[in-house]
Amino acid sequence: PDASMIAYSATGVGDATRQSTIMVQTTSSAAPRALSRPPPGARDDLPAWSPDGREIAFARWEAGGACRVLLVPAAGVGDEREIARCDGSDLLSFGWLPDGKGLLFGTMGGAASETRLRILDPASGRWRGLDYPGAAGDLDYAPQVSPDGRWIGFIRNPQMGDLWRVPIAGGTPEQITHLGAEF
């Protein structure tokens, strides 16, 4: 968050298992260090810094197909902690709310209650759906809170879709672009 470090996912050179690890590195020329500890065959990806810089949320896809979202202390001292299960889709998307009290998730397949933007409280593990209309089958992807904190911007249907926004408290979404393009 203060631009002094970056977090990224890296796969080892020549690693036939495609195992990847979350790495952190200062923006100077210091060597990176592994932050996550994936089991054999797992892929850690999508690191997202908490606004205070203390934790990093990331996704872990395991060899058997299971998907989990975990938190790990950014300093590397402490254990990974599972905060959610995900549907295993390569279109998983999430990011922190500006106050750091929740993670904003894009659509995850499954039950009807999981097909819209949702907020997860990482402390309690409770989900809260964002109340806004959409058509059956819509996939709302890559949500981000606007700098003024009033809106959530997202891509609806990234294969042939557009940019949309909805008030952060829910309500009527607004279509911003009319491209019908792949994002």
Side-chain angles (χ1 to χ4, degrees):
D2 67 0
S4 67
M5 298 181 73
I6 58 169
Y8 59 95
S9 178
T11 302
V13 176
D15 184 353
T17 66
R18 306 261 313 136
Q19 180 170 337
S20 61
T21 303
I22 302 300
M23 306 291 288
V24 292
Q25 181 174 350
T26 64
T27 51
S28 66
S29 60
R33 66 180 165 83
L35 189 64
S36 67
R37 296 173 294 284
R43 181 172 53 101
D44 291 353
D45 202 5
L46 305 175
W49 287 93
S50 64
D52 65 8
R54 293 182 183 174
E55 294 180 297
I56 296 175
F58 65 94
R60 174 171 289 158
W61 284 270
E62 296 180 354
C67 175
R68 302 182 299 148
V69 178
L70 298 115
L71 281 182
V72 64
V77 179
D79 294 327
E80 301 168 349
R81 177 172 63 98
E82 180 180 323
I83 58 170
R85 296 275 173 160
C86 42
D87 65 1
S89 168
D90 283 337
L91 290 176
L92 176 66
S93 60
F94 57 87
W96 289 88
L97 294 175
D99 64 5
K101 294 181 180 176
L103 286 157
L104 176 62
F105 279 77
T107 299
M108 284 199 282
S113 65
E114 298 180 354
T115 60
R116 298 277 173 251
L117 300 177
R118 298 183 303 154
I119 296 171
L120 172 68
D121 175 347
S124 69
R126 290 194 179 110
W127 290 95
R128 176 173 54 91
L130 194 65
D131 187 21
Y132 67 102
D138 279 345
L139 189 140
D140 295 343
Y141 180 69
Q144 295 290 318
V145 178
S146 64
D148 65 6
R150 295 179 47 219
W151 299 94
I152 297 172
F154 61 94
I155 301 166
R156 177 162 282 169
N157 304 320
Q159 275 65 25
M160 292 300 289
D162 285 289
L163 297 174
W164 290 69
R165 72 179 186 172
V166 64
I168 196 157
T172 303
E174 298 175 28
Q175 187 171 352
I176 305 299
T177 65
H178 296 275
L179 302 172
E182 183 174 352
F183 283 86

Coordinates of all heavy atoms in Angstrom, one line a residue, residues 46-51 55-59 69-72 81-84 93-106 108 116-123 125-129 143-145 152:
L46 N -3.1 -14.4 -7.2 CA -4.0 -13.2 -7.0 C -3.7 -12.6 -5.6 O -4.6 -12.3 -4.9 CB -5.4 -13.7 -7.0 CG -5.9 -14.3 -8.3 CD1 -7.4 -14.8 -8.1 CD2 -5.8 -13.4 -9.5
P47 N -2.4 -12.2 -5.3 CA -2.2 -11.6 -4.0 C -2.8 -10.2 -4.0 O -2.8 -9.4 -4.9 CB -0.7 -11.5 -4.0 CG -0.2 -11.5 -5.4 CD -1.2 -12.4 -6.1
A48 N -3.4 -9.9 -2.8 CA -4.1 -8.6 -2.6 C -3.7 -8.0 -1.2 O -4.0 -8.6 -0.2 CB -5.6 -8.7 -2.7
W49 N -3.0 -6.9 -1.2 CA -2.6 -6.3 0.1 C -3.8 -5.7 0.8 O -4.6 -5.1 0.2 CB -1.6 -5.1 -0.2 CG -0.2 -5.5 -0.6 CD1 0.2 -5.6 -1.9 CD2 0.9 -5.7 0.2 NE1 1.5 -5.9 -1.9 CE2 2.0 -6.0 -0.7 CE3 1.1 -5.7 1.6 CZ2 3.2 -6.2 -0.2 CZ3 2.3 -6.0 2.0 CH2 3.4 -6.3 1.2
S50 N -3.8 -5.9 2.1 CA -4.8 -5.2 2.9 C -4.4 -3.7 2.9 O -3.2 -3.3 2.7 CB -4.8 -5.7 4.4 OG -3.6 -5.5 5.0
P51 N -5.3 -2.8 3.1 CA -5.0 -1.4 3.0 C -4.0 -0.9 4.1 O -3.2 0.0 3.8 CB -6.4 -0.7 3.3 CG -7.4 -1.7 2.8 CD -6.8 -3.0 3.2
E55 N -1.5 -7.6 6.0 CA -1.9 -8.9 5.5 C -2.0 -8.9 4.0 O -2.2 -7.9 3.4 CB -3.2 -9.3 6.1 CG -3.2 -9.5 7.6 CD -4.5 -10.0 8.1 OE1 -5.5 -9.2 8.0 OE2 -4.6 -11.1 8.7
I56 N -1.9 -10.1 3.5 CA -2.1 -10.3 2.0 C -3.1 -11.5 1.9 O -2.9 -12.5 2.5 CB -0.8 -10.6 1.3 CG1 0.2 -9.4 1.4 CG2 -1.0 -11.0 -0.2 CD1 1.6 -9.6 0.8
A57 N -4.1 -11.2 1.1 CA -5.1 -12.3 0.8 C -4.6 -12.9 -0.5 O -4.1 -12.2 -1.4 CB -6.5 -11.7 0.7
F58 N -4.8 -14.2 -0.7 CA -4.5 -14.8 -2.0 C -5.3 -16.1 -2.2 O -5.9 -16.6 -1.2 CB -3.0 -15.1 -2.0 CG -2.5 -16.1 -1.1 CD1 -2.4 -17.5 -1.4 CD2 -2.1 -15.8 0.2 CE1 -2.0 -18.4 -0.5 CE2 -1.7 -16.7 1.1 CZ -1.6 -18.0 0.8
A59 N -5.4 -16.5 -3.4 CA -6.1 -17.7 -3.8 C -5.1 -18.9 -3.9 O -4.0 -18.7 -4.4 CB -6.8 -17.5 -5.1
V69 N -9.3 -19.3 -0.3 CA -8.8 -17.9 -0.2 C -8.2 -17.9 1.2 O -8.8 -18.3 2.2 CB -9.8 -16.8 -0.4 CG1 -9.2 -15.5 -0.1 CG2 -10.5 -16.9 -1.8
L70 N -6.9 -17.5 1.3 CA -6.2 -17.5 2.5 C -5.6 -16.1 2.8 O -5.5 -15.2 1.9 CB -5.0 -18.4 2.5 CG -5.4 -19.9 2.2 CD1 -4.9 -20.4 0.9 CD2 -4.8 -20.7 3.3
L71 N -5.4 -15.8 4.1 CA -4.7 -14.6 4.5 C -3.3 -15.0 5.1 O -3.3 -16.0 5.8 CB -5.5 -13.9 5.6 CG -6.6 -13.0 5.3 CD1 -7.2 -12.4 6.5 CD2 -6.3 -12.0 4.3
V72 N -2.3 -14.2 4.9 CA -1.0 -14.4 5.5 C -0.5 -13.1 6.0 O -0.7 -12.1 5.3 CB -0.1 -15.2 4.5 CG1 0.2 -14.3 3.3 CG2 1.2 -15.6 5.2
R81 N -4.1 -18.4 7.0 CA -5.4 -18.7 7.6 C -6.4 -18.7 6.5 O -6.5 -17.8 5.7 CB -5.7 -17.6 8.6 CG -7.0 -17.7 9.2 CD -7.2 -16.7 10.4 NE -7.1 -15.3 10.0 CZ -8.2 -14.6 9.7 NH1 -9.4 -15.0 9.9 NH2 -8.0 -13.3 9.4
E82 N -7.2 -19.8 6.4 CA -8.2 -19.9 5.4 C -9.4 -19.0 5.8 O -9.8 -19.0 7.0 CB -8.7 -21.3 5.2 CG -9.8 -21.5 4.2 CD -10.4 -22.9 4.1 OE1 -9.5 -23.8 4.1 OE2 -11.6 -23.0 3.9
I83 N -9.9 -18.2 4.9 CA -11.0 -17.3 5.2 C -12.2 -17.7 4.3 O -13.3 -17.2 4.6 CB -10.7 -15.8 5.0 CG1 -10.2 -15.5 3.7 CG2 -9.7 -15.5 6.1 CD1 -10.0 -14.0 3.4
A84 N -12.0 -18.4 3.2 CA -13.2 -18.7 2.3 C -12.8 -19.9 1.4 O -11.6 -20.1 1.1 CB -13.6 -17.5 1.5
S93 N -12.1 -13.4 -8.5 CA -11.6 -12.0 -8.4 C -12.1 -11.5 -7.0 O -13.2 -11.7 -6.6 CB -12.2 -11.1 -9.5 OG -13.6 -11.0 -9.5
F94 N -11.1 -10.8 -6.4 CA -11.4 -10.2 -5.1 C -10.4 -9.1 -4.8 O -9.3 -9.0 -5.4 CB -11.4 -11.2 -4.0 CG -10.1 -11.9 -3.8 CD1 -9.1 -11.5 -3.0 CD2 -10.0 -13.2 -4.5 CE1 -7.9 -12.2 -2.9 CE2 -8.8 -13.9 -4.3 CZ -7.8 -13.4 -3.6
G95 N -10.8 -8.2 -3.9 CA -9.9 -7.1 -3.5 C -10.5 -6.5 -2.1 O -11.6 -6.8 -1.8
W96 N -9.6 -5.8 -1.4 CA -10.0 -5.3 -0.1 C -10.9 -4.1 -0.2 O -10.7 -3.3 -1.2 CB -8.7 -4.9 0.6 CG -7.9 -6.1 1.1 CD1 -6.9 -6.7 0.4 CD2 -8.0 -6.7 2.4 NE1 -6.4 -7.7 1.2 CE2 -7.1 -7.8 2.4 CE3 -8.8 -6.6 3.5 CZ2 -6.9 -8.6 3.4 CZ3 -8.7 -7.4 4.6 CH2 -7.7 -8.4 4.5
L97 N -11.8 -3.9 0.7 CA -12.5 -2.7 0.9 C -11.5 -1.6 1.5 O -10.5 -2.0 2.2 CB -13.7 -2.8 1.9 CG -14.8 -3.7 1.4 CD1 -15.8 -3.9 2.5 CD2 -15.4 -3.2 0.1
P98 N -11.7 -0.4 1.2 CA -10.7 0.7 1.6 C -10.5 0.7 3.1 O -9.4 1.0 3.6 CB -11.3 2.0 1.1 CG -12.2 1.6 0.0 CD -12.7 0.2 0.3
D99 N -11.5 0.3 3.9 CA -11.3 0.4 5.4 C -10.7 -0.9 5.9 O -10.4 -1.0 7.1 CB -12.7 0.6 6.1 CG -13.7 -0.5 5.9 OD1 -13.4 -1.6 5.3 OD2 -14.8 -0.4 6.4
G100 N -10.4 -1.9 5.1 CA -9.7 -3.1 5.5 C -10.6 -4.1 6.2 O -10.1 -5.1 6.7
K101 N -11.9 -3.8 6.3 CA -12.8 -4.7 7.1 C -13.5 -5.7 6.3 O -14.3 -6.5 6.9 CB -13.8 -3.8 7.9 CG -13.2 -2.9 8.9 CD -14.2 -2.1 9.7 CE -13.5 -1.2 10.7 NZ -14.5 -0.4 11.4
G102 N -13.2 -5.8 5.1 CA -13.8 -6.8 4.2 C -13.1 -7.0 2.9 O -12.3 -6.1 2.5
L103 N -13.4 -8.1 2.3 CA -12.9 -8.4 0.9 C -14.1 -8.4 0.0 O -15.1 -9.1 0.3 CB -12.2 -9.8 0.9 CG -10.8 -9.8 1.5 CD1 -10.4 -11.2 1.9 CD2 -9.8 -9.2 0.5
L104 N -14.0 -7.7 -1.1 CA -15.1 -7.6 -2.1 C -14.8 -8.7 -3.2 O -13.7 -8.7 -3.8 CB -15.1 -6.2 -2.7 CG -16.0 -5.9 -3.8 CD1 -17.5 -6.1 -3.4 CD2 -15.8 -4.5 -4.3
F105 N -15.7 -9.6 -3.4 CA -15.6 -10.7 -4.3 C -16.5 -10.5 -5.5 O -17.6 -10.0 -5.4 CB -16.0 -12.0 -3.7 CG -14.9 -12.6 -2.8 CD1 -14.7 -12.1 -1.5 CD2 -14.2 -13.7 -3.3 CE1 -13.7 -12.7 -0.8 CE2 -13.2 -14.2 -2.5 CZ -12.9 -13.7 -1.2
G106 N -16.0 -10.9 -6.7 CA -16.8 -11.0 -7.9 C -17.6 -12.2 -7.8 O -17.6 -13.0 -6.9
M108 N -19.1 -15.8 -7.9 CA -18.6 -17.2 -7.8 C -19.8 -18.1 -8.1 O -20.9 -17.8 -7.7 CB -18.1 -17.5 -6.4 CG -16.7 -16.9 -6.1 SD -15.8 -17.6 -4.7 CE -16.7 -16.9 -3.3
R116 N -23.7 -12.8 -7.3 CA -23.5 -11.3 -7.4 C -22.3 -11.0 -6.6 O -21.7 -11.8 -5.9 CB -24.7 -10.6 -6.9 CG -26.0 -10.9 -7.6 CD -26.1 -10.0 -8.8 NE -27.2 -10.3 -9.6 CZ -27.2 -11.0 -10.8 NH1 -26.0 -11.3 -11.3 NH2 -28.2 -11.3 -11.5
L117 N -21.9 -9.7 -6.6 CA -20.9 -9.2 -5.8 C -21.2 -9.4 -4.3 O -22.3 -9.2 -3.9 CB -20.6 -7.7 -6.0 CG -20.3 -7.3 -7.5 CD1 -20.2 -5.8 -7.6 CD2 -19.0 -7.9 -7.9
R118 N -20.2 -9.8 -3.6 CA -20.4 -10.1 -2.2 C -19.2 -9.6 -1.4 O -18.1 -9.4 -1.9 CB -20.5 -11.6 -1.9 CG -21.7 -12.2 -2.5 CD -21.8 -13.7 -2.2 NE -20.6 -14.4 -2.6 CZ -20.3 -15.6 -2.0 NH1 -21.0 -16.1 -1.0 NH2 -19.2 -16.2 -2.3
I119 N -19.4 -9.4 -0.1 CA -18.4 -8.9 0.8 C -18.2 -9.9 1.9 O -19.1 -10.4 2.5 CB -18.7 -7.5 1.4 CG1 -18.8 -6.5 0.3 CG2 -17.7 -7.1 2.5 CD1 -19.3 -5.1 0.7
L120 N -16.9 -10.3 2.1 CA -16.6 -11.3 3.2 C -15.9 -10.5 4.3 O -14.9 -9.8 4.1 CB -15.6 -12.3 2.6 CG -15.0 -13.3 3.6 CD1 -16.1 -14.2 4.2 CD2 -13.9 -14.1 3.0
D121 N -16.4 -10.7 5.5 CA -15.7 -10.2 6.7 C -14.6 -11.3 7.1 O -15.0 -12.4 7.5 CB -16.7 -10.0 7.9 CG -16.0 -9.6 9.2 OD1 -14.8 -9.7 9.3 OD2 -16.8 -9.2 10.1
P122 N -13.3 -11.0 6.9 CA -12.3 -12.0 7.2 C -12.2 -12.4 8.6 O -11.8 -13.5 8.9 CB -11.0 -11.4 6.7 CG -11.3 -10.0 6.6 CD -12.7 -9.8 6.4
A123 N -12.6 -11.6 9.5 CA -12.5 -11.9 11.0 C -13.6 -12.9 11.4 O -13.3 -13.9 12.1 CB -12.7 -10.6 11.8
G125 N -15.8 -14.6 9.0 CA -16.1 -15.5 8.0 C -17.5 -15.4 7.4 O -17.9 -16.2 6.6
R126 N -18.2 -14.3 7.8 CA -19.5 -14.0 7.3 C -19.5 -13.3 6.0 O -18.8 -12.4 5.8 CB -20.3 -13.2 8.3 CG -20.6 -14.0 9.6 CD -21.7 -13.4 10.4 NE -21.9 -14.2 11.6 CZ -21.5 -13.8 12.8 NH1 -21.0 -12.7 13.0 NH2 -21.8 -14.6 13.8
W127 N -20.5 -13.7 5.1 CA -20.7 -13.1 3.8 C -21.9 -12.1 3.9 O -22.8 -12.4 4.6 CB -21.0 -14.2 2.8 CG -19.9 -15.1 2.4 CD1 -19.6 -16.3 2.9 CD2 -18.9 -14.8 1.4 NE1 -18.5 -16.8 2.3 CE2 -18.0 -15.9 1.4 CE3 -18.6 -13.7 0.6 CZ2 -16.9 -16.0 0.6 CZ3 -17.5 -13.8 -0.3 CH2 -16.7 -14.9 -0.3
R128 N -21.8 -11.1 3.1 CA -22.9 -10.1 3.0 C -23.0 -9.9 1.5 O -22.1 -9.4 0.8 CB -22.6 -8.9 3.7 CG -23.6 -7.8 3.6 CD -23.3 -6.6 4.4 NE -22.0 -6.0 4.3 CZ -21.7 -5.0 3.5 NH1 -22.6 -4.5 2.7 NH2 -20.5 -4.5 3.5
G129 N -24.2 -10.2 0.9 CA -24.4 -9.9 -0.5 C -24.7 -8.4 -0.7 O -25.2 -7.8 0.1
P143 N -14.2 -6.6 -9.2 CA -14.8 -5.4 -8.6 C -13.7 -4.6 -7.9 O -12.8 -5.1 -7.3 CB -15.8 -6.0 -7.6 CG -15.2 -7.3 -7.2 CD -14.6 -7.8 -8.5
Q144 N -13.8 -3.3 -8.0 CA -12.9 -2.3 -7.3 C -13.8 -1.1 -6.8 O -14.7 -0.6 -7.5 CB -11.9 -1.8 -8.3 CG -11.0 -2.8 -8.8 CD -10.0 -3.3 -7.8 OE1 -9.5 -2.5 -7.0 NE2 -9.8 -4.6 -7.8
V145 N -13.4 -0.7 -5.6 CA -14.1 0.5 -5.0 C -13.5 1.7 -5.6 O -12.2 1.8 -5.7 CB -14.0 0.4 -3.5 CG1 -14.6 1.7 -2.8 CG2 -14.6 -0.8 -2.9
I152 N -18.8 0.9 -6.7 CA -18.0 -0.3 -7.0 C -18.0 -0.4 -8.5 O -19.1 -0.5 -9.1 CB -18.6 -1.6 -6.4 CG1 -18.5 -1.5 -4.9 CG2 -17.8 -2.8 -6.9 CD1 -19.2 -2.6 -4.1

